[in-house]
């Protein structure tokens, strides 16, 4: 299954899944609005969402509480599973995720579902803006909680801890998905120390998409990652501030047709919290 879906394709899915429709496979539509440092997206969801979509809160459903493992650690599988079932996700569901911002929240949910063993999951390319531009209408009716039978099977995708990330930066390719100024250590608006993991290569998520918020064509993405060293046979890992925008990088690499790299879930929020860990600043390694 392709990792992204167009607005036109989603409209056809929604029509077939509607009562009286042609009978599509089980569709679970998840609204994953999340803005870094902002309030929950439920208010915006309530003001208008794709019909049939259920809201999923990233901070409570897609992450454990912040602590020594970072700002967005992996969620407890039982908590994650319950949230997905309430969102209508079943073992055979085709899951489609979207937001109204930059795709980070849906990408995190896409990665978590695949990490938990669910393969039939896609992200709406261009998000809610693409839906509206294609003539899609919004609803304010919130469906009741779902009764899905999804059961997480964690471990289907690779993850890194701090030591593993440090080792990968030395022997393979560790990508830092944050903005260049944060990578270089010029500013750090969230975490206690500025800079990057020694040996990591900067690859901002903003370069995955065009001005319309849609992913660049697969050949362009493949060329971008190849130039960074992420070729099909390379050992690659990705991190960001807290393991959210890095998921967008993993999604972009999937769009490019590349294998899914390992995610350092704790990311910089875990790494930089330990003063014993080394910190690099400045431009890309030579």
């Amino acid at each position: 299954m392709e990792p992204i879906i167009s607005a036109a394709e989603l409209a056809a899915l929604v029509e077939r899944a509607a009562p009286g429709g042609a009978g599509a496979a089980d569709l679970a539509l998840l609204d994953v609005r999340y803005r870094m440092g902002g309030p929950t997206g439920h208010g915006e969801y309530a003001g208008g969402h794709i019909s049939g979509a259920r809201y999923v809160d990233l901070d409570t459903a897609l992450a454990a509480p912040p602590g020594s493992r970072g700002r967005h650690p992996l969620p407890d599988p039982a908590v994650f599973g319950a949230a997905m079932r309430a969102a209508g996700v079943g073992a055979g569901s085709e899951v489609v995720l979207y937001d109204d911002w930059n795709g980070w929240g849906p990408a995190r949910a896409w990665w978590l579902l695949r990490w938990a063993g669910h393969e039939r999951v896609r992200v709406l390319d261009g998000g809610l803006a693409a839906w509206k531009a294609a003539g899609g209408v919004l609803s304010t009716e919130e469906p009741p909680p779902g009764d899905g039978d999804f059961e997480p099977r964690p471990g289907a995708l690779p993850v890194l801890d701090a030591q593993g990330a440090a080792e990968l930066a030395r022997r393979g390719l560790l990508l830092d998905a944050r903005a260049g100024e944060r990578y270089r250590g010029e500013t750090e608006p969230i975490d206690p120390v500025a800079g990057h993991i020694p040996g990591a290569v900067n690859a901002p998520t903003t370069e995955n998409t065009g001005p319309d918020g849609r992913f660049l064509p697969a050949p362009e993405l493949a060329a971008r990652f190849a130039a960074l060293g992420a070729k099909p046979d390379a050992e690659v890992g990705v991190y960001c501030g807290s393991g959210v925008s890095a998921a967008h990088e993993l999604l972009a690499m999937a769009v490019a047709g590349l294998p899914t790299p390992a995610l350092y879930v704790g990311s910089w929020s875990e790494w930089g919290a330990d003063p014993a860990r080394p910190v690099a600043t400045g431009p890309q390694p030579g």
Side-chain angles (χ1 to χ4, degrees):
M1 174 173 284
E2 292 294 320
I4 56 176
I5 183 172
S6 71
E9 291 171 318
L10 177 57
L13 269 182
V14 170
E15 183 177 357
R16 291 201 300 272
D26 178 24
L27 174 65
L29 190 55
L30 278 56
D31 185 308
V32 196
R33 300 193 211 199
Y34 161 80
R35 292 180 185 268
M36 185 173 61
T40 173
H42 186 268
E44 293 176 328
Y45 161 83
H49 52 266
I50 299 174
S51 180
R54 293 182 174 94
Y55 176 72
V56 173
D57 181 62
L58 186 146
D59 286 325
T60 57
L62 307 181
S68 61
R69 294 180 299 140
R71 284 185 279 111
H72 290 110
L74 285 174
D76 181 288
V79 173
F80 176 61
M84 291 300 98
R85 290 190 293 273
V89 178
S93 294
E94 182 166 355
V95 183
V96 178
L97 313 149
Y98 73 89
D99 72 351
D100 63 348
W101 191 34
N102 54 18
W104 291 0
R108 170 77 173 208
W110 169 85
W111 181 86
L112 272 171
L113 280 162
R114 294 191 61 233
W115 168 81
H118 194 86
E119 289 288 337
R120 302 189 69 207
V121 52
R122 289 186 283 179
V123 171
L124 175 59
D125 193 20
L128 205 59
W131 175 260
K132 292 189 287 188
V137 298
L138 302 183
S139 170
T140 57
E141 181 179 350
E142 297 192 34
D147 57 355
D149 61 358
F150 167 73
E151 290 291 344
R153 291 174 282 114
L157 292 179
V159 296
L160 294 169
D161 58 14
Q163 180 178 343
E167 293 172 352
L168 183 55
R170 291 191 291 268
R171 73 170 184 268
L173 176 66
L174 182 65
L175 297 177
D176 184 319
R178 298 173 300 160
E181 59 270 21
R182 291 183 70 190
Y183 168 87
R184 294 188 295 271
E186 296 165 3
T187 183
E188 180 46 63
I190 304 171
D191 296 309
V193 63
H196 59 268
I197 298 173
V201 173
N202 193 210
T205 58
T206 52
E207 297 178 18
N208 294 332
T209 56
D212 60 0
R214 293 179 174 88
F215 280 97
L216 298 176
E220 291 184 30
L221 286 170
R224 180 201 178 204
F225 289 116
L228 292 165
K231 299 178 181 179
D233 59 347
E235 184 181 6
V236 183
V238 183
Y239 77 97
C240 58
S242 66
V244 174
S245 64
H248 192 274
E249 200 92 290
L250 301 184
L251 178 57
M253 295 178 82
V255 173
L258 296 169
T260 303
L263 174 64
Y264 174 24
V265 181
S267 286
W268 191 248
S269 61
E270 179 187 42
W271 183 277
D274 185 346
R277 294 192 183 110
V279 172
T281 58
Q284 306 273 32

